Amino acid sequence: MSESSQQEHVRLFVACELPDDVKSAIRVVIDDLRARSGNAVRWVRPEGVHITLKFLGEVPTRKLPHVKLAIQEAVHGHSPFELEFSTIGTFGGREGLRLMWIGVAGDVLRLEALVRSVNAALGVVGFEPERRPFRPHLTLGRVRDEVSTRQRAEIEVAVGKTEIPQVSWRTAHVSLMRSRLSPAGASYETVASFPLRVIQQPV
């Protein structure tokens, strides 16, 4: 993509951001795992951890107003809800371990309903609905490609021994996020925030 083309596109996704105390708890878990796994894993920056609702990819800047309007419509009728850490887990199995995460529990049904609304609203403005099942999780790190099968198995055992703190938080808004990729990893910027509001019933 040329420089001028890059300026006309932004890499976007829709997410629920986390409070600072939750990010601090994630940092503790990552530090614990890092002590056991060393450099075999590319760890995420705790300050950037979020729950992704939908990845949009490279979006023309001229389309931004339509995206914002769609998200605004999507959050209408959804009120704030509570989430919490559940368990720690992995994707890929012991021998093919590739990603570590903390699961999300609490008002997951309301989170899933929000995801459906976001998908439907963005579908109207040209974004394909996500076909994979929504599995809410908080990514901790990704195992490097060159890591051996034996070492992946050892990391899997370390993950199984890691304790997850009891942490809960209130999700009160949805964010449109911009992702910037660099050799040092991805960095994120909040483009717009859309509050979840309690719908008042007529008296």
Side-chain angles (χ1 to χ4, degrees), residues 30 48 65 72 87 90 98 118 124 133 135 154 164 180 183 188 190 202:
I30 288 176
Q72 183 64 60
T87 58
T90 62
R98 66 180 190 278
V118 167
V124 174
R135 300 174 67 180
E154 292 172 350
I164 299 301
R180 287 187 171 91
Y188 307 118
T190 303

Side-chain angles (χ1 to χ4, degrees), residues 2 13 19 26 30 44 47 97 129 131 136 141 145 154 165 190 193 202:
S2 67
F13 61 94
I26 291 170
I30 288 176
V44 302
E47 61 271 19
L97 176 66
R131 303 195 182 280
D145 292 340
E154 292 172 350
T190 303
S193 183

